[in-house]
Amino acid sequence: MLLVQIANIINDLVNADPDINYFHFGFPNDVNINIANNYDPNAEVGRQFPYVLLLPPISTADVQQAGNRAVNETYNLEFIITDTYAYDGQQLDYKTDTSALVFSKLQVLAERLIKGLLLYSQEALPPFNIGQYRIEFDPYRFINGTRSIRMTVDLVFPIGCNNYNVDVAALLPTNPEDVVTYDKEDPLNTTPI
């Protein structure tokens, strides 16, 4: 699974939620940059609240069993879901929501996003797994007048590079001990160690 595909899946799930108004893949410091995307194609409106920020994930792959070469790729996704607190940016007006209420609304949005991922994971071919998710309340506090939650979750995809084949038997010796002991990157020195 490519990173752009995962970002597109999240973008579609966020776009389908009527209570989330913006999605961005990037970094927290992008919040003050007016970025053109499918929510604001001409970069004229700016960030709409509440919004979901998907940070660049950590990706790992592991070989399950050396005999069957089953490989899984895990993406540790990190989201920041943010809404206004004490004012409504769209209406340029004050509101009276408490922090607990704003956090609770953000928690509901996070759980709906997880539910969407879970439903998609069961429909996808091949299906993929979703690990436990974790929610932290207001972890960054990077914008005055907002409240945020940070959600992390692991997505585990079975992978295989079906579009790339190499004849390793012709390329490499069968016995790893028979690989040459000079540095092939250095064409001026082919003396074995």
Side-chain angles (χ1 to χ4, degrees):
M1 178 73 60
L2 295 174
L3 178 57
V4 69
Q5 293 171 304
I6 292 172
N8 286 338
I9 289 168
I10 303 301
N11 191 336
D12 288 344
L13 289 172
V14 168
N15 203 8
D17 192 314
D19 296 323
I20 304 176
N21 294 320
Y22 201 86
F23 168 81
H24 178 63
F25 173 83
F27 298 96
N29 61 346
D30 292 344
V31 74
N32 294 322
I33 301 169
N34 210 7
I35 298 169
N37 65 12
N38 56 313
Y39 294 82
D40 186 8
N42 296 319
E44 297 171 338
V45 178
R47 199 74 73 241
Q48 300 295 300
F49 293 92
Y51 77 88
V52 173
L53 173 68
L54 172 60
L55 282 81
I58 296 171
S59 173
T60 58
D62 64 303
V63 176
Q64 295 291 327
Q65 297 176 7
N68 67 8
R69 304 282 192 254
V71 178
N72 288 320
E73 184 173 35
T74 301
Y75 282 90
N76 179 264
L77 302 183
E78 181 177 347
F79 300 90
I80 298 178
I81 306 173
T82 303
D83 199 1
T84 57
Y85 168 74
Y87 80 98
D88 184 338
Q90 284 83 352
Q91 302 297 323
L92 300 174
D93 196 6
Y94 291 97
K95 61 183 186 177
T96 58
D97 291 348
T98 64
S99 288
L101 184 60
V102 174
F103 284 142
S104 296
K105 289 178 180 178
L106 294 173
Q107 182 179 9
V108 167
L109 296 177
E111 290 169 354
R112 290 193 331 214
L113 183 57
I114 290 294
K115 173 86 182 219
L117 281 170
L118 182 60
L119 291 171
Y120 182 65
S121 74
Q122 296 165 354
E123 296 292 324
L125 293 175
F128 60 93
N129 294 322
I130 298 176
Q132 290 183 343
Y133 69 93
R134 175 184 168 130
I135 294 176
E136 296 176 49
F137 295 90
D138 208 19
Y140 289 108
R141 300 173 189 94
F142 58 87
I143 303 173
N144 189 26
T146 65
R147 294 296 182 260
S148 300
I149 64 172
R150 175 180 176 252
M151 180 178 68
T152 56
V153 64
D154 288 341
L155 303 184
V156 182
F157 297 93
I159 63 169
C161 291
N162 296 333
N163 59 348
Y164 177 74
N165 292 311
V166 62
D167 185 0
V168 293
L171 180 65
L172 300 168
T174 306
N175 184 346
E177 290 294 323
D178 293 337
V179 174
V180 296
T181 59
Y182 63 87
D183 186 356
K184 289 185 176 184
E185 191 176 357
D186 183 359
L188 301 177
N189 184 1
T190 58
T191 306
I193 296 177

